[in-house]
Amino acid sequence: MSVLRLALPTPLRRLFDYLPPEGLSAHSMRPGQRLRVPFGKREMVGILVEVSRETQLSPAQLKHAIEVLDAEPLPNPALIKLCLWAADYYLHPTGEVIASAFPSALRRGTELPEPGESGWRLTSRAQGLPDGALSRSPRQAQAIELLGDGKAHTARELRDAGIKNDVMRRLTERGWVVPCRVESTPDALAATSGHELNAAQSAAVMAINDTLGEFHAHLLEGVTGSGKTEVYLGAIAACLGRGQQALVLIPEIGLTPQTLSRFEARFKATVCCFHSGLTDRQRLDSWAQAQCGAAAIVIGTRSAVFTAMPRLGLIVVDEEHDASYKQQDGFRYSARDVAVKRAQLERCPVVLGSATPSLESLHNAVRQRYRHHRLEERAGKAVLPELQVIDLRRKPLYGGLSEPLLQRARDTLSTGSQVLLFLNRRGYAPALRCHDCGWIANCSSCDARLTVHRARGQLRCHHCGATEQLPRSCPDCHSDALMTQGLGTEQAEDAIRAKLPEWRTLRVDSDSTRSREALDKILHEVSSGEPCILLGTQMLAKGHHFPGVSLVGIIDADAMLFSGDFRGEERMAQMLTQVAGRAGRAGQPGYVLLQSHHPDHPALQAMLQTSYHRRALDLLDERGERQLPPTGQLALLRADCSDAAAGEAFLTSLRAHLMPTLPAGVQLVGPLPAPMHRRAGKFRWHLLLQGGHRSAVRTASALAVSKAESLRAPGDCKWSVDVDPTEPL
Ligand code: ADP
Ligand code: ZN
Ligand code: ZN
């Protein structure tokens, strides 16, 4: 007897056995098909992972699946293998991992749309009637005229023409239009040719293209503005030329429209884009295009690494060092690391690109596990910017800005260039204090101060989202001598407007760009090239190409200097190098001014005197000496509870259970309180597993997870495991 082994979306760390639906043979089924099955009193949609001859269940316990939902498997075998690997590696329930590889509509059991986009065509009834006979509503008439060319049009085209869905619904009710699928036209490749590549770019493209059809990991380390995108495009062209698909991962940011248009302009191919702004329906349609092979290029953020693609030939991870590739809740995985594994399973090359590669990737390149390609100069006529520190000590400050920085900004603007000012803290000020009694506005659910948002008249917690009215007087002593402490973008904006009133100031942070359109509008304005001041948080640091910016000012270079985390300096160097890299990307030379109260701090001096590359190699040595990643391995068990002591007790007991069977070479550290001990009302505890060998730490973490499952967590205590954690410890 054969059983179907299914992944179901439950938090249980196992697969579930079923008999095939009545009348069907298990051997007619293939991994990757969805089935509807009974589960307790409910029904669930599961994915077939394997057909097996063995089962732990007795015949009486085995139930029949209800129905098979797909005629063909949705993901290819390599993608299922990838999910199984990820579940095993990240010690996460298989069902939840596999679920993350599907759009939510498919998880609910919706039929896979046929290839093509959803769209509309005229019915035969509506064809041939004289103009104007059909409708007096101008929108309806417009829709009919558009469809009157006899072709089907996509819903997107109609929306772009200003025709809303309810117009189409009314036309459907009248029997004049019907929904249909619109096939995309077959791909003609290489629409336009790009820049003529320089020697370093060509060498990288050739080396990557040489490995098409087999697994190889490439680290493309190219300074900011060195033309890494041209290298990706060159490799993608070769990949598409072989009739294969390319997957491009980008960080979670407003980059999407820019990147998308750059790819669409280059190739006359279907490009599908996955980002957080899609509706469920759009996501499903794009997924179907990728899954059937119609989409030549898939671009997406983190979770797109699991997109089903039958002919995957190349994976690119742009800005591979970016923290957003790590999912920090639920299924905690690194999309970059999953991408490398996927390339291995699909036997294709993967390109990790960055100006500031993660120490993990650099380590692999140094040990020659990855091929290393370096672009050490900027493309075209651009040169790397010059860095200089402004010693802030004893200098008067206006909203955090010193006179030398303001003067340079004025000079730059009056030559017609743009200025970018970087301050990685949104809101008006990070704290509110009473001058008379010393009271500080703290969050009632977190160990954190509330941020002052003056424009909205609010205090906000940036950790749990709590908001309060901005008080007029001190709640403790009723004095009205409340004062803000520290500096946020809102306050800096006020100061800049006051000091440089004749120039436009554009603020870019997650408050000012709540809607997608807002950021697009700002980026559009910047691209006009008119002199202006761009002020913003790390949203500005990532990947943007601002040809008009020739001065970058880092308002608070000290903000990241005293991090207690072992990755602190790596992060600081990446962030500052990336921000600095926005300067002077076109013809004119760029300058970067860093404001600091600690101009002699070794980490700042390192920024000025050596390249990121050199500094990163030194940091890599330090990590090695301390057995920290990437040399050493880490896994973290967390426990979050409303009770202050329960999490500690749980992890202490887990530790005691673990000790007797702990593999040699693994140390347990903790339980220790997390750096922010209380967050959103939960007390958070860590138990860290650390060791020099991946396999030993792996064995220990798997053991810890099975022990944790068998121990009863007290009260509302929630535990989780984080393999290769990246959050500060
Ligand atoms: P990176 O991603 O490495 O920061 P980009 O790919 O955005 O850099 O390229 C920076 C700029 O240089 C872009 O405007 C791009 O069009 C231009 N560029 C890239 N390659 C070349 C080249 N070979 N010759 C001239 N300009 C180039
Ligand atoms: Zn007070
Ligand atoms: Zn809070």
Side-chain angles (χ1 to χ4, degrees):
M1 183 186 61
S2 295
V3 295
L4 307 177
R5 193 152 284 170
L6 301 190
L8 296 180
T10 78
L12 298 172
R13 286 180 161 76
R14 59 186 190 83
L15 298 174
F16 296 83
D17 293 350
Y18 284 88
L19 294 171
E22 309 270 5
L24 291 179
S25 146
H27 295 288
S28 67
M29 267 161 243
R30 279 182 294 153
Q33 286 177 308
R34 291 175 302 159
L35 291 109
R36 194 185 299 282
V37 296
F39 190 80
K41 289 202 176 68
R42 295 189 295 143
E43 287 183 3
M44 272 193 184
V45 175
I47 307 287
L48 179 59
V49 171
E50 58 172 346
V51 178
S52 169
R53 292 193 172 280
E54 285 161 37
T55 177
Q56 310 275 322
L57 300 181
S58 67
Q61 289 171 308
L62 278 171
K63 290 190 188 142
H64 283 279
I66 300 165
E67 59 170 334
V68 184
L69 294 174
D70 308 301
E72 293 288 323
L74 297 188
N76 60 341
L79 182 54
I80 295 187
K81 262 198 203 138
L82 181 73
C83 292
L84 295 178
W85 171 84
D88 183 59
Y89 183 82
Y90 292 108
L91 298 163
H92 196 78
T94 313
E96 289 185 1
V97 173
I98 291 194
S100 65
F102 291 88
S104 59
L106 291 178
R107 296 202 292 268
R108 289 193 301 268
T110 311
E111 207 177 314
L112 181 73
E114 280 175 27
E117 267 184 81
S118 56
W120 304 87
R121 60 178 173 78
L122 285 189
T123 57
S124 48
R125 225 184 106 201
Q127 278 164 14
L129 284 176
D131 283 353
L134 286 168
S135 177
R136 255 167 281 154
S137 139
R139 280 299 186 203
Q140 292 185 16
Q142 187 196 347
I144 285 169
E145 195 191 320
L146 222 153
L147 296 172
D149 62 4
K151 291 199 209 108
H153 286 260
T154 63
R156 189 163 43 98
E157 284 171 69
L158 290 158
R159 265 196 310 275
D160 288 348
I163 300 162
K164 297 224 173 71
N165 281 342
D166 55 314
V167 174
M168 299 314 291
R169 192 171 35 87
R170 251 170 277 134
L171 288 173
T172 318
E173 282 161 10
R174 295 179 157 190
W176 290 336
V177 304
V178 281
C180 66
R181 308 296 301 174
V182 186
E183 287 267 5
S184 44
T185 37
D187 302 330
L189 294 176
T192 56
S193 55
H195 293 283
E196 194 170 320
L197 299 182
N198 60 37
Q201 286 172 318
S202 318
V205 171
M206 279 196 325
I208 296 163
N209 292 355
D210 250 4
T211 62
L212 287 168
E214 47 188 306
F215 168 62
H216 270 287
H218 301 265
L219 175 61
L220 177 64
E221 180 179 5
V223 298
T224 53
S226 57
K228 292 183 286 296
T229 312
E230 292 297 322
V231 174
Y232 306 150
L233 292 168
I236 291 169
C239 163
L240 302 193
R242 295 165 49 97
Q244 292 188 296
Q245 298 170 284
L247 171 63
V248 181
L249 299 180
I250 55 174
E252 194 91 42
I253 30 161
L255 269 188
T256 359
Q258 278 187 347
T259 319
L260 191 64
S261 51
R262 216 160 150 186
F263 281 76
E264 277 176 338
R266 178 65 71 86
F267 302 108
K268 254 202 226 112
T270 308
V271 181
C272 279
C273 195
F274 291 94
H275 55 78
S276 54
L278 297 184
T279 64
D280 277 2
R281 185 68 218 183
Q282 291 167 329
R283 190 172 295 276
L284 181 61
D285 280 347
S286 295
W287 197 86
Q289 301 252 55
Q291 192 267 350
C292 73
I297 304 174
V298 170
I299 302 180
T301 49
R302 185 173 63 221
S303 62
V305 72
F306 290 108
T307 311
M309 296 167 78
R311 298 191 314 272
L312 184 58
L314 174 71
I315 307 179
V316 172
V317 184
D318 190 23
E319 310 287 352
E320 65 86 31
H321 66 280
D322 198 276
S324 71
Y325 285 123
K326 177 78 201 286
Q327 176 142 313
Q328 298 290 19
D329 56 1
F331 169 32
R332 296 167 197 263
Y333 66 96
S334 153
R336 177 197 60 219
D337 297 348
V338 172
V340 174
K341 185 67 195 181
R342 183 164 187 185
Q344 192 189 8
L345 292 171
E346 307 261 11
R347 301 209 175 98
C348 73
V350 55
V351 181
L352 310 180
S354 176
T356 53
S358 62
L359 294 195
E360 280 75 10
S361 299
L362 207 55
H363 181 65
N364 283 318
V366 172
R367 316 243 338 240
Q368 301 190 338
R369 265 181 254 154
Y370 294 177
R371 297 198 185 178
H372 197 178
H373 315 284
R374 295 187 61 193
L375 311 177
E376 297 184 70
E377 277 165 25
R378 283 195 159 173
K381 294 198 186 67
V383 288
L384 280 169
E386 209 175 282
L387 273 69
Q388 217 181 320
V389 174
I390 299 178
D391 183 354
L392 287 185
R393 287 172 297 182
R394 291 179 298 275
K395 285 203 174 61
L397 293 178
Y398 316 93
L401 305 164
S402 66
E403 191 47 51
L405 177 57
L406 285 165
Q407 193 49 52
R408 279 295 278 281
R410 266 180 219 114
D411 296 346
T412 306
L413 291 159
S414 50
T415 62
S417 281
Q418 298 171 330
V419 173
L420 186 155
L421 298 177
F422 175 74
L423 178 64
N424 205 17
R425 216 179 294 116
R426 63 198 173 88
Y428 187 83
L432 182 70
R433 184 193 286 276
C434 169
H435 192 48
D436 288 344
C437 76
W439 168 86
I440 291 179
N442 286 317
C443 175
S444 57
S445 342
C446 305
D447 291 336
R449 294 182 173 177
L450 294 170
T451 301
V452 179
H453 286 254
R454 205 162 75 171
R456 288 167 173 259
Q458 281 179 335
L459 287 172
R460 286 173 164 248
C461 176
H462 286 184
H463 305 282
C464 71
T467 59
E468 297 174 14
Q469 279 262 307
L470 196 59
R472 290 175 190 283
S473 57
C474 170
D476 277 4
C477 74
H478 308 292
S479 148
D480 54 10
L482 293 181
M483 52 190 247
T484 61
Q485 277 196 323
L487 178 73
T489 45
E490 220 182 283
Q491 188 176 346
E493 181 184 12
D494 288 354
I496 295 163
R497 285 187 199 275
K499 285 282 171 185
L500 305 166
E502 58 282 42
W503 312 101
R504 240 174 107 57
T505 299
L506 303 164
R507 196 181 97 211
V508 178
D509 56 32
S510 53
D511 298 317
S512 71
T513 58
R514 204 137 284 203
S515 74
R516 234 189 153 63
E517 294 76 46
L519 179 61
D520 285 354
K521 199 168 151 249
I522 293 173
L523 294 179
H524 188 78
E525 216 178 314
V526 179
S527 69
S528 76
E530 288 293 305
C532 66
I533 304 146
L534 257 170
L535 162 71
T537 57
Q538 41 118 21
M539 285 181 88
L540 282 182
K542 298 184 181 182
H544 295 287
H545 184 60
F546 300 126
V549 170
S550 65
L551 175 68
V552 165
I554 293 167
I555 296 178
D556 185 5
D558 299 339
M560 297 173 80
L561 278 185
F562 301 98
S563 148
D565 183 49
F566 74 90
R567 291 186 216 265
E569 188 174 346
E570 176 188 358
R571 296 246 167 76
M572 183 199 81
Q574 285 166 345
M575 173 87 84
L576 295 186
T577 308
Q578 292 287 347
V579 181
R582 299 313 110 199
R585 289 171 64 95
Q588 84 271 45
Y591 298 93
V592 181
L593 298 177
L594 298 102
Q595 295 198 128
S596 170
H597 281 99
H598 305 275
D600 304 321
H601 191 289
L604 263 191
Q605 284 300 319
M607 281 286 304
L608 300 182
Q609 287 164 12
T610 54
S611 61
Y612 172 84
H613 179 80
R614 227 2 302 147
R615 185 65 194 144
L617 291 178
D618 291 344
L619 291 174
L620 206 49
D621 287 342
E622 289 171 24
R623 298 271 184 92
E625 284 157 22
R626 296 166 60 196
Q627 275 215 0
L628 286 167
T631 316
Q633 300 293 317
L634 297 179
L636 185 66
L637 276 129
R638 305 165 195 264
D640 299 0
C641 326
S642 352
D643 184 285
E648 183 181 22
F650 177 75
L651 292 179
T652 304
S653 135
L654 181 61
R655 182 189 168 110
H657 278 84
L658 212 50
M659 278 319 263
T661 46
L662 195 68
V666 180
Q667 291 90 48
L668 295 180
V669 185
L672 291 170
M676 183 179 292
H677 186 26
R678 199 167 56 109
R679 181 167 173 176
K682 297 276 181 0
F683 291 89
R684 310 179 319 142
W685 291 90
H686 286 172
L687 177 63
L688 187 68
L689 286 72
Q690 182 177 7
H693 293 284
R694 184 174 287 276
S695 61
V697 175
R698 235 212 80 74
T699 311
S701 356
L703 213 58
V705 166
S706 72
K707 296 269 187 234
E709 281 190 313
S710 66
L711 289 174
R712 251 174 62 91
D716 68 346
C717 183
K718 279 213 167 55
W719 65 269
S720 58
V721 59
D722 193 347
V723 176
D724 305 333
T726 59
E727 269 179 3
L729 295 172

